[in-house]
Amino acid sequence: QVQLVESGGGLVQAGGSLRLSCAASGRTLRSYAMGWFRQAPGKERELVAAISRSGGSTYYADSVKGRFTISRDNAKNTVYLQMNSLKPEDTAVYYCAADQSPFIGVVTTSGDYDYWGQGTQVTVSS
């Protein structure tokens, strides 16, 4: 079993940047495909970005494509989400998640993820 802890959230002005980190403990992160999700008040949780176990494949939601970058450092057991050109509509609680299946690609369905962090708040002011 793996435990996930997100950090790096906060308050930023529109156009600014934040980098979220998701630190894993309990097992090596290289065994998991990873994803970043977000949930805004009154809205459903949505996948923002995903990365394969090797880091060779990534996926981005259309709303963040070109602005966000997901990466992983398996040696540090950490996954990152670099967020640039932030917009007020990016305001949400951001969660990282891990999928333990042997699938080698990206995982885009929230129900396929097995472990979740507690979330970190990102607030973008206009």
Side-chain angles (χ1 to χ4, degrees), residues 3-120:
Q3 291 80 42
L4 305 172
V5 178
E6 302 96 335
S7 62
L11 174 64
V12 64
Q13 288 187 333
S17 298
L18 286 173
R19 188 176 81 156
L20 304 184
S21 299
C22 173
S25 61
R27 289 192 64 183
T28 177
L29 206 54
R30 69 178 68 250
S31 301
Y32 300 89
M34 300 295 296
W36 281 98
F37 291 78
R38 67 186 181 187
Q39 187 166 22
K43 295 188 176 181
E44 293 187 354
R45 183 172 57 193
E46 63 172 346
L47 176 66
V48 174
I51 189 166
S52 62
R53 288 189 292 169
S54 69
S57 298
T58 56
Y59 164 89
Y60 296 95
D62 287 342
S63 58
V64 307
K65 209 170 285 184
R67 301 188 297 122
F68 290 11
T69 303
I70 188 171
S71 62
R72 65 190 300 159
D73 186 336
N74 286 339
K76 295 184 177 181
N77 247 20
T78 302
V79 175
Y80 304 97
L81 184 68
Q82 177 67 44
M83 305 186 295
N84 299 328
S85 301
L86 283 162
K87 304 176 181 179
E89 51 263 43
D90 294 318
T91 295
V93 178
Y94 283 71
Y95 301 89
C96 69
D99 169 52
Q100 66 181 358
S101 74
F103 183 59
I104 63 173
V106 294
V107 179
T108 59
T109 303
S110 64
D112 288 336
Y113 284 88
D114 303 290
Y115 303 102
W116 295 80
Q118 84 290 348
T120 186

